[in-house]
Amino acid sequence: MQEDFSTVHKSFGRALTKNPKLIYRFYEIFTASHPDIAPFFKNTDFDRQVSLLRQGLNMALLFAEGKKTGEMVINKIRETHNRSGFNVPPRLYPYWVSSLIQAISESDPQFNPDLERQWRKALQKAVDHIKGGY
């Protein structure tokens, strides 16, 4: 049975509407959250990265719902972030999730503990799959 994360999709939309710089804010939080993270973004074109992450988040939500489109994209991220790709160690993914939750909570006026649990559940499905490819 596929899960419905429509409340998370709506939260993402509200957060982006209230704060069009939401993804940039996420990267501020994320790169400051652990000393090993910022070096991954040393030569990053953040305008492009923001666009990729925005699409990636939508695909992560689709993946959590069991949609094929989301699965294809998350599989690609799994490949690009493994040891032979960007070599993102699994221990850093909790910082990614927490940083995203913080950015969303700052921008979605309807954010609450139940919505946070839904966000975490949806994101964890994609994160677990990506980490599994390391």
Side-chain angles (χ1 to χ4, degrees):
M1 185 171 104
Q2 295 181 347
E3 289 195 61
D4 179 10
F5 288 104
S6 60
T7 57
V8 178
H9 286 281
K10 290 174 186 171
S11 171
F12 190 37
R14 284 190 305 269
L16 284 168
T17 299
K18 183 172 183 215
N19 180 7
K21 297 286 187 182
L22 171 70
I23 307 295
Y24 288 95
R25 175 64 181 137
F26 157 76
Y27 278 111
E28 288 174 7
I29 297 165
F30 183 47
T31 57
S33 68
H34 190 282
D36 292 346
I37 294 171
F40 281 98
F41 299 97
K42 184 179 178 195
N43 297 312
T44 299
D45 172 351
F46 272 97
D47 289 336
R48 184 173 188 281
Q49 186 66 28
V50 163
S51 176
L52 288 171
L53 180 59
R54 186 174 173 164
Q55 292 170 26
L57 286 171
N58 280 312
M59 293 300 112
L61 297 178
L62 291 175
F63 176 83
E65 293 174 329
K67 306 282 198 250
K68 283 288 183 198
T69 305
E71 182 181 352
M72 289 177 357
V73 173
I74 296 304
N75 281 338
K76 182 67 177 163
I77 294 170
R78 178 179 164 130
E79 290 174 24
T80 61
H81 287 62
N82 69 17
R83 280 185 182 89
S84 60
F86 294 121
N87 194 25
V88 179
R91 66 183 172 76
L92 296 180
Y93 285 94
Y95 296 97
W96 184 85
V97 171
S98 293
S99 298
L100 183 61
I101 296 295
Q102 181 180 337
I104 296 290
S105 72
E106 292 173 4
S107 298
D108 178 1
Q110 295 179 34
F111 196 84
N112 60 52
D114 185 52
L115 187 53
E116 177 178 348
R117 281 188 292 279
Q118 291 176 33
W119 264 106
R120 287 186 182 280
K121 186 176 183 180
L123 294 173
Q124 200 60 50
K125 288 183 178 222
V127 165
D128 287 346
H129 186 71
I130 293 165
K131 288 184 347 184
Y134 189 74

